[in-house]
């Protein structure tokens, strides 16, 4: 690509850099403030409306968080639900997309039309709640996984990706004696690592950040996920003390607690992303268009 060294081209580069830097600052500054506030004392948070580095680093908030069962239980619950839910959702998406990628599958057009229909129309919150209740999933962690087990948009992209795989490889495996399940496990899945990594990340982020499902389906506050706890502590009309009164009567640093729990709720996804980044750039658009 030839760089434009004309005055207009240089002006555009400068303007582009300024805009991107401004957007990055708007994105990063609130995160840095929250992170700094989580290590500051309550007095400093009250005295300084905005800062990016505390005058004195204190860990009282984190000591409190990991010394009480409320946060540890919510964190473990969220991690377990995310791991199990991601495995189930990715597995169901892959196993449904693979047969739909076969044009000779009987009833394929009907199933695809039903999938596309769900992209435009959905039952809504109340019908979904009634289905979850009638299936006996209320106050169950399965209510956080099964209702949204297959994302139709992700399913269509994965199906299109499977259609682009060379059929000669699958035919060769069948000639060598592989069953259809063997072809899927030994040929298709190893070739699908980028898209599996990408949609594993998408599903994991969706489950990790979901607070509406546990808010609707989980009535037992002992089963709260981390996101519900964050919502209860940071909602504009929420009283942090009342939100935790039924769970823990220990005094806690109220403002610092809000910052620290946001950091804890955000950090795991930020730590996972670098390990999937090499697959992410390749897999994010793969299967979205047909060559």
């Amino acid at each position: 690509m030839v760089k434009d060294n004309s005055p207009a081209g240089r002006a555009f580069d400068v303007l582009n850099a300024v805009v991107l830097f401004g957007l990055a600052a708007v994105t990063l500054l609130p995160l840095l403030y929250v992170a700094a506030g989580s290590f500051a004392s309550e007095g400093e948070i009250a005295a300084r409306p905005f800062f990016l580095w505390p005058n004195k680093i204190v860990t009282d908030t984190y000591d409190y968080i990991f010394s009480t069962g409320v946060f540890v239980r919510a964190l473990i619950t969220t991690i377990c639900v995310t791991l199990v839910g991601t495995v189930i959702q990715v597995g169901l998406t892959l196993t449904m997309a693979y047969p739909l990628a076969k044009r000779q599958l009987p009833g394929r057009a009907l199933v695809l039309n039903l999938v596309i229909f769900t992209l435009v129309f959905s039952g809504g919150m109340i019908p979904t709640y009634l289905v979850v209740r009638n299936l006996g999933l209320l106050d169950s962690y399965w209510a956080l996984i099964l209702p949204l087990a297959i994302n139709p948009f992700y399913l269509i992209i994965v199906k299109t990706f499977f259609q682009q795989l060379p059929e000669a490889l699958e035919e060769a495996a069948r000639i060598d004696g592989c069953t259809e399940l063997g072809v899927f496990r030994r040929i298709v899945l190893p070739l699908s690592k980028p898209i599996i990594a990408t949609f594993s990340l998408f599903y994991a982020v969706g489950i990790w950040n979901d607070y509406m499902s546990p808010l609707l389906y989980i009535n037992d506050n002992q089963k709260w996920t981390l996101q519900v706890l964050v919502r209860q502590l940071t909602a504009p009309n929420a009283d942090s003390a009342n939100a935790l009164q039924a769970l823990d009567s220990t005094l806690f640093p109220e403002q610092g607690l809000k910052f620290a729990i946001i950091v804890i709720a955000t950090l795991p996804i930020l730590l996972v992303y670098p390990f999937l980044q090499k697959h992410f750039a390749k897999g994010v658009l793969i299967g979205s268009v047909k060559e």
Side-chain angles (χ1 to χ4, degrees), residues 61-85:
T61 304
Y62 291 98
D63 293 340
Y64 168 78
I65 285 178
F66 291 106
S67 66
T68 178
V70 178
F71 298 97
V72 174
R73 182 171 58 247
L75 179 61
I76 293 175
T77 296
T78 306
I79 292 174
C80 292
V81 169
T82 300
L83 291 177
V84 174

Side-chain angles (χ1 to χ4, degrees), residues 115 119 151-158 199:
V115 171
L119 285 172
N151 185 301
F153 180 69
Y154 298 167
L155 174 68
I156 292 175
I157 294 180
V158 176
F199 288 107

Side-chain angles (χ1 to χ4, degrees), residues 39-63:
F39 288 100
S41 64
E42 288 292 293
E44 183 175 359
I45 295 174
R48 302 174 65 188
F50 182 81
F51 56 91
L52 299 180
W53 190 264
N55 292 328
K56 181 181 180 181
I57 296 178
V58 295
T59 59
D60 295 346
T61 304
Y62 291 98
D63 293 340

Side-chain angles (χ1 to χ4, degrees), residues 14-250:
V14 172
L15 178 62
N16 194 28
V18 170
V19 171
L20 292 177
F21 180 80
L23 292 175
V26 170
T27 303
L28 291 176
L29 287 179
L31 296 177
L32 295 176
Y33 170 63
V34 169
S38 68
F39 288 100
S41 64
E42 288 292 293
E44 183 175 359
I45 295 174
R48 302 174 65 188
F50 182 81
F51 56 91
L52 299 180
W53 190 264
N55 292 328
K56 181 181 180 181
I57 296 178
V58 295
T59 59
D60 295 346
T61 304
Y62 291 98
D63 293 340
Y64 168 78
I65 285 178
F66 291 106
S67 66
T68 178
V70 178
F71 298 97
V72 174
R73 182 171 58 247
L75 179 61
I76 293 175
T77 296
T78 306
I79 292 174
C80 292
V81 169
T82 300
L83 291 177
V84 174
T86 301
V87 171
I88 292 175
Q89 292 181 352
V90 171
L92 291 177
T93 300
L94 293 174
T95 53
M96 184 175 180
Y98 179 66
L100 289 178
K102 307 303 178 183
R103 300 185 185 278
Q104 68 274 18
L105 178 71
R108 173 179 179 269
L110 175 61
V111 175
L112 280 178
N113 287 332
L114 292 175
V115 171
I116 295 172
F117 181 84
T118 63
L119 285 172
V120 183
F121 304 99
S122 65
M125 182 186 300
I126 295 176
T128 303
Y129 177 85
L130 294 176
V131 170
V132 171
R133 186 194 65 182
N134 292 337
L135 291 175
L137 298 179
L138 289 182
D139 264 342
S140 168
Y141 295 130
W142 292 113
L144 311 181
I145 299 172
L146 297 182
L148 300 175
I150 298 179
N151 185 301
F153 180 69
Y154 298 167
L155 174 68
I156 292 175
I157 294 180
V158 176
K159 175 198 73 71
T160 306
F161 169 79
F162 285 156
Q163 287 178 329
Q164 296 175 4
L165 295 178
E167 294 185 5
L169 293 176
E170 298 182 22
E171 291 298 332
R174 294 188 185 97
I175 292 174
D176 288 340
C178 272
T179 62
E180 200 65 43
L181 183 60
V183 172
F184 178 68
R185 182 170 61 88
R186 297 181 180 182
I187 304 297
V188 175
L189 290 184
L191 294 174
S192 306
K193 289 181 180 179
I195 204 165
I196 292 175
T198 299
F199 288 107
S200 295
L201 179 63
F202 287 171
Y203 275 123
V205 171
I207 298 173
W208 183 273
N209 291 335
D210 182 22
Y211 78 91
M212 184 59 69
S213 294
L215 199 63
L216 290 174
Y217 308 136
I218 304 298
N219 299 318
D220 185 358
N221 53 25
Q222 301 297 320
K223 295 182 178 180
W224 275 0
T225 62
L226 195 60
Q227 288 67 37
V228 176
L229 206 55
V230 171
R231 190 259 180 194
Q232 293 298 105
L233 293 175
T234 60
N237 297 324
D239 184 337
S240 300
N242 291 336
L244 293 179
Q245 185 176 6
L247 301 176
D248 196 335
S249 59
T250 308

